[in-house]
Amino acid sequence: MRDRVTLLRATAIVALGYGFGASLQSTFIYSRYVPEWAHVSVWSRLGANALGVGVLVGMLWALRVHARRSSWAVVAGLVVASAVCAVGRHAAQLALGVYTDPDVATRDSELAGGFVVALISAGIGMWALLSRRRMRSAARRAERGTVHVELAVQALEDEEIRVRRAVAEGLHGTLQGKLVLVDAELDAVVRRMSLQRDRAADVAALRRVQEELTVVRELDVRQMSRLLYPDRLELGLVPAVRAMLSRVPSTIATRLAVTPAVREVDDPELGSLTVAQRLLAVRVVEEGITNALKYGPATTIVVDLDLCDGVLVVGVENDGPTYDPATAAPLGGTARLAERIGLAHGAVELRPRDPRGARLEARLPL
C-alpha cells in the first residue's frame, strides 16, 4: 500500500509540474507568435494535461507496477502506462478544443511529447519507490543488527551472572569446606604433637599455619565470594548495597538514599529490575567506595539511587580530597566499568564535588 502511494504520488507531482509548466509556456508562445492559436484557453490546456496525468496514474494503479518484481515487467508497465497517457492526453486536447483538426505532424508531436513526459514522470516515481524500498531494507537490517547486539549482550550478562554465581558458590561451599577439613586435620596433628617432647617449635609452626588457613577461609575466600556475587543480590539492589555499606570501616559515615520509584522496580517479586542490572549498579557502588577509600581520607560516603525517565541513576559521592581530572591518576577501574556499562547503553561520569570530594554517577537505561 505504501509503495503504491509513493509511486503514484511522486509520478503525479512530477507529471503535473511538467504539464502545467508546458501549458503556461505554450500559451505564451502561441499568443505571441502563432496568432491563430491565441484563442485557445489556458484552462483547456491545463485541463487536458491534468486529464493525462489522471490517466497515467490510473494506468499505473491498474497495472500494479508497484507490485512487479521483475525489471522487465516494471519497464513494460511504465511504457504501456505512458503510451495510454499520451493517447488520453491527446484525446482530451481534441475534446477541450485545444486542437480542432490537427495535422499529422502536430498529432505525432503531441503523442511523442506526452509519451516522453509521462515516461520520465513515471520513471522518477519508480525511482522514489525503489529509494523507499532501499531505505526500508536498510532500516530493517539496522534493526536486526541492533536486536542481535542486544541479544548478545543479554546472553553475555546471563553467562556472567551464571559464572559468577557458580564460582562464588564454589568458593563459599566446596573450597571453604575443604579448608575446614584441612584445618581439622591440622588441629588433630597439633594435638598429637603437643603430647610429645621437644616438638614445641613444630607445634608453633603448625599453629601459625592453622591460623593462616582460618584467615584465608574466613576472610579471603568469603570476601572473594562476595566480590564475585554480592550478598543479598537476589533480594534486590537496595539490600545488596546496604550489605556492601555495612562493610565500610566504622570511622567513615555512610548514608543510602533511595527514591520510591527505585524501590518499586527493585521489588524481588513485582519489580522489573533484572539481576544483571542490579549487578551493574552494585559494581558502580563498589567502585565509588573503592575510590573513596583509595584516594581518601573521606569521612562520609553517600549513595543515592534514583529513577528518571526509565533510567536508573546510581550516584556515589564522598567528602575526601577534591577530584581534579587534570592531575588525577589514570582511572583504570572506573574506565573498565564505563566500558562495561557502555555495552548496556549506559554512561559513567566522575566529577568533582562542591566544596570537596568526588561524585561517581552512572546512568543505566532499564
Side-chain angles (χ1 to χ4, degrees):
M1 179 63 181
R2 294 181 179 178
D3 288 347
R4 181 176 64 187
V5 171
T6 300
L7 172 62
L8 300 183
R9 181 169 53 195
T11 301
I13 292 173
V14 175
L16 285 173
Y18 273 127
F20 285 6
S23 298
L24 296 176
Q25 185 180 34
S26 61
T27 301
F28 171 76
I29 293 175
Y30 292 155
S31 64
R32 294 289 300 272
Y33 301 104
V34 187
E36 59 270 21
W37 283 355
H39 66 281
V40 179
S41 171
V42 66
W43 296 109
S44 299
R45 297 183 184 277
L46 292 175
N49 287 332
L51 289 174
V53 173
V55 172
L56 176 61
V57 172
M59 287 300 300
L60 292 175
W61 177 80
L63 294 174
R64 296 181 57 81
V65 178
H66 64 280
R68 307 297 179 185
R69 298 301 176 183
S70 171
S71 300
W72 290 108
V74 170
V75 172
L78 297 180
V79 170
V80 171
S82 300
V84 175
C85 170
V87 174
R89 173 176 174 271
H90 186 59
Q93 288 176 335
L94 296 177
L96 295 176
V98 176
Y99 300 107
T100 55
D101 188 16
D103 54 23
V104 175
T106 302
R107 180 198 64 194
D108 292 345
S109 176
E110 289 291 349
L111 289 176
F115 175 78
V116 171
V117 169
L119 187 60
I120 292 175
S121 301
I124 294 175
M126 180 55 64
W127 173 80
L129 169 61
L130 295 177
S131 297
R132 182 185 179 89
R133 285 179 178 172
R134 285 194 293 270
M135 292 176 60
R136 197 163 57 226
S137 298
R140 289 198 187 104
R141 287 194 299 270
E143 290 175 357
R144 285 195 295 268
T146 302
V147 171
H148 290 163
V149 171
E150 294 288 346
L151 292 177
V153 171
Q154 184 178 356
L156 287 174
E157 289 177 346
D158 294 341
E159 182 64 14
E160 178 188 10
I161 292 173
R162 187 192 67 80
V163 172
R164 284 176 178 273
R165 183 183 295 148
V167 175
E169 291 175 353
L171 287 173
H172 191 70
T174 305
L175 181 58
Q176 194 170 27
K178 290 181 178 180
L179 289 176
V180 170
L181 293 178
V182 171
D183 182 69
E185 292 181 1
L186 281 175
D187 187 63
V189 172
V190 168
R191 285 198 303 269
R192 288 196 302 269
M193 294 181 64
S194 63
L195 299 178
Q196 303 176 7
R197 297 179 179 180
D198 300 330
R199 304 300 296 271
D202 294 336
V203 171
L206 287 176
R207 286 292 185 190
R208 288 194 297 271
V209 172
Q210 188 179 22
E211 291 173 358
E212 184 66 24
L213 282 176
T214 301
V215 172
V216 170
R217 187 186 73 232
E218 295 297 329
L219 296 180
D220 295 345
V221 173
R222 183 170 297 179
Q223 185 176 9
M224 184 63 66
S225 174
R226 288 171 176 171
L227 289 176
L228 286 169
Y229 198 79
D231 286 346
R232 306 179 187 177
L233 189 65
E234 298 290 349
L235 300 178
L237 171 61
V238 176
V241 173
R242 290 191 185 279
M244 181 168 294
L245 291 176
S246 67
R247 297 196 296 272
V248 175
S250 59
T251 56
I252 300 177
T254 61
R255 183 166 61 89
L256 174 61
V258 185
T259 62
V262 173
R263 295 186 183 278
E264 182 178 353
V265 299
D266 190 42
D267 187 277
E269 296 182 357
L270 304 177
S272 59
L273 207 60
T274 65
V275 176
Q277 292 167 340
R278 293 174 186 167
L279 181 60
L280 278 179
V282 170
R283 292 306 174 212
V284 174
V285 176
E286 180 184 40
E287 181 66 20
I289 294 175
T290 300
N291 290 340
L293 298 177
K294 181 178 180 181
Y295 302 106
T299 60
T300 303
I301 296 177
V302 179
V303 179
D304 55 85
L305 305 175
D306 195 5
L307 187 65
C308 301
D309 298 327
V311 177
L312 178 63
V313 181
V314 182
V316 184
E317 58 185 34
N318 64 79
D319 61 352
T322 302
Y323 169 70
D324 185 2
T327 60
L331 300 176
T334 303
R336 289 191 295 271
L337 178 66
E339 292 178 358
R340 177 64 185 85
I341 293 181
L343 293 176
H345 307 291
V348 175
E349 180 183 10
L350 179 61
R351 61 177 183 268
R353 179 175 173 265
D354 188 29
R356 57 180 279 115
R359 176 178 174 83
L360 179 67
E361 182 176 292
R363 304 178 68 87
L364 303 171
L366 301 184

